[in-house]
Amino acid sequence: MTAVFSHGRLRLYLLKLLDDGPKHGYELIRLLEDRFLGLYAPSAGTIYPRLQRLEVEGLVTHTAAGGRKVYEITEAGRAELRQRADELATLESDISASVEDLSALAGEIRSEVRGSVRDLKRELREAARQTRRGHWEPPPTRPTANGGPAARAESPVLTEFDQRLAAFTVEVSALVRAGRLTDTQLRTAIRLLDGALDGLRRLLR
């Protein structure tokens, strides 16, 4: 959970959102995600226990509508908001600063991965072309100590690896293009690819 909501401040912000009108849990999650420009979204496991606690304390109530619980602030909840108005104003200021920091970080990440994405796209296109031709070109042979080419005896496992790598790149490319992913999801996919590459590097050291 983002640091601005430490020390029970998420509880206060949920009351603030409910003061604008009744909402179900998913709406509260989306409102928080929108407030953070899509860069942070609390999980259901974060939101619903707090709503239940607020209900136990008599600060909210809920009714069932369409199979969902719709939460509504009570007069006691509004009284707490009035009593903590200064704290809420500070929280809003902290949220704005956090959003600015997250936006700056996202910009840095985009700059860092832009070159990697271009390289990845180029490799995917080349792999797709080679796969359509029915083969995957192995890496060039290394020269021996006397300058001549080293004998290359590929094992069946290495051949299978090359085939799996080609199939992987083609399938990933197809999934990304068909999935209409958001920028956030694409950044997550890039991190997964980077993580897989780092793992292979560690394996081959």
Side-chain angles (χ1 to χ4, degrees), residues 38 59 83 100 107 141 171 182 194:
L59 303 179
Q83 293 168 3
E100 290 180 6
T141 58
E171 184 171 351
T182 65
D194 288 343

Side-chain angles (χ1 to χ4, degrees), residues 16-172:
K16 183 261 183 188
L17 293 176
L18 290 173
D19 192 39
D20 295 333
K23 296 172 182 67
H24 54 72
Y26 180 71
E27 286 179 298
L28 292 167
I29 291 172
R30 292 306 302 267
L31 284 170
L32 282 162
E33 184 177 10
D34 291 344
R35 182 66 181 86
F36 283 88
L37 305 180
L39 299 173
Y40 162 75
S43 67
T46 297
I47 293 298
Y48 284 104
R50 284 165 174 79
L51 289 172
Q52 291 170 1
R53 181 63 181 171
L54 288 170
E55 190 167 15
V56 169
E57 294 174 0
L59 303 179
V60 304
T61 59
H62 84 267
T63 56
R68 290 178 173 176
K69 290 182 178 181
V70 177
Y71 293 88
E72 184 173 0
I73 192 170
T74 64
E75 284 304 318
R78 292 190 176 91
E80 177 160 335
L81 281 178
R82 290 191 295 270
Q83 293 168 3
R84 301 176 65 184
D86 291 344
E87 185 178 346
L88 181 59
T90 300
L91 176 56
E92 285 283 13
S93 178
D94 290 346
I95 289 174
S96 296
S98 179
V99 169
E100 290 180 6
D101 291 342
L102 288 171
S103 298
L105 177 60
E108 292 174 6
I109 292 173
R110 281 194 293 270
S111 297
E112 291 174 1
V113 304
R114 191 172 291 119
S116 299
V117 171
R118 285 196 296 267
D119 293 340
L120 177 61
K121 287 180 177 178
R122 184 165 55 250
E123 292 171 7
L124 288 170
R125 286 195 297 268
E126 179 60 25
R129 283 195 295 269
Q130 293 190 15
T131 300
R132 285 194 295 269
R133 290 199 299 266
H135 71 284
W136 175 261
E137 295 179 3
T141 58
R142 296 190 303 271
T144 60
N146 60 13
R152 184 181 180 87
E154 290 190 357
S155 70
V157 176
L158 182 57
T159 300
E160 181 182 359
F161 173 82
D162 290 338
Q163 293 171 347
R164 294 287 182 87
L165 181 59
F168 173 82
T169 53
V170 172
E171 184 171 351
V172 167

